[in-house]
Amino acid sequence: MPHLLPRFDLPQRSRLPLALMLSLLAHALALVAPGLLRPPAAPAKAPPLHAQLRPQVVATPSVPELELPPEPPPTPAPSPPPKKAVPPAAKTWTQSVRDQLVQQQNSGLFYPAEAIAQGLEGEVLVYFIVDTQGNIAAARVEESSGQPLLDDAAVRAVRRLRSLPGDAPQEALLPVRFRLR
């Protein structure tokens, strides 16, 4: 194969010093300007974005504080019935929830005895889903009280809710408060 580049014939004695000088020059150039001999590094990629879906909050009803009375209140004397009976107003779903939680408290199902003994208080935000019959289909702690005993009691109390009125949303957040007097 013929050579296309011109050939330089150097005497045997001058080839070695020339090769050494070229090698030193290449090494010095690599130390002084390293970017000239290597291709530039690819720019760093941005970290991938992470997204998380959160459930849509439909309504946040206000539920009264349910406090444990130190003693049962005395039963009041029955009052005479009114002369003209007025039909009761239809309950809203928040009134129904409040009434059912009060019934649970009166039957001893709401505030755990162990939590009362330990003097635990707190507020739990419970997210729940209502099925087509007005019953609770699912419930979970959305924001903890910091006390697992109270968190579990709040979720159990919400899961016991039944027959909520038709105006109840399909999903909602419910603050459940545990207070001792």
Side-chain angles (χ1 to χ4, degrees):
M1 174 180 218
H3 291 291
L4 300 178
L5 295 176
R7 187 170 172 175
F8 297 102
D9 287 329
L10 294 175
Q12 188 72 24
R13 287 182 298 160
S14 58
R15 286 186 191 168
L16 180 62
L18 181 63
L20 287 174
M21 285 194 306
L22 286 175
S23 175
L24 284 174
L25 181 63
H27 283 86
L29 189 60
L31 292 175
V32 174
L36 292 176
L37 297 180
R38 286 188 213 116
K45 292 183 179 178
L49 296 177
H50 296 282
Q52 180 181 16
L53 295 177
R54 301 192 95 194
Q56 178 183 9
V57 177
V58 177
T60 304
S62 171
V63 176
E65 285 187 16
L66 295 176
E67 300 178 354
L68 183 65
E71 301 174 5
T75 56
S79 60
K83 291 182 182 181
K84 207 175 201 185
V86 177
K91 284 186 179 180
T92 64
W93 75 275
T94 55
Q95 290 169 332
S96 177
V97 167
R98 186 178 301 121
D99 292 346
Q100 290 185 48
L101 291 177
V102 168
Q103 286 174 355
Q104 288 182 32
Q105 173 64 31
N106 292 340
S107 62
L109 296 174
F110 183 74
Y111 214 128
E114 187 180 344
I116 295 169
Q118 293 178 18
L120 299 178
E121 293 184 336
E123 181 174 321
V124 182
L125 191 59
V126 179
Y127 170 78
F128 65 92
I129 299 173
V130 179
D131 65 14
T132 55
Q133 289 80 30
N135 298 321
I136 303 300
R140 72 167 189 248
V141 173
E142 186 70 20
E143 188 175 306
S144 173
S145 66
Q147 302 293 335
L149 192 60
L150 297 180
D151 295 347
D152 293 342
V155 170
R156 277 193 310 272
V158 170
R159 286 183 178 155
R160 284 188 202 110
L161 298 176
R162 298 285 180 252
S163 303
L164 296 178
D167 68 335
Q170 289 182 338
E171 53 187 87
L173 289 173
L174 180 69
V176 180
R177 294 180 191 95
F178 294 90
R179 301 278 183 256
L180 296 172
R181 287 188 184 193

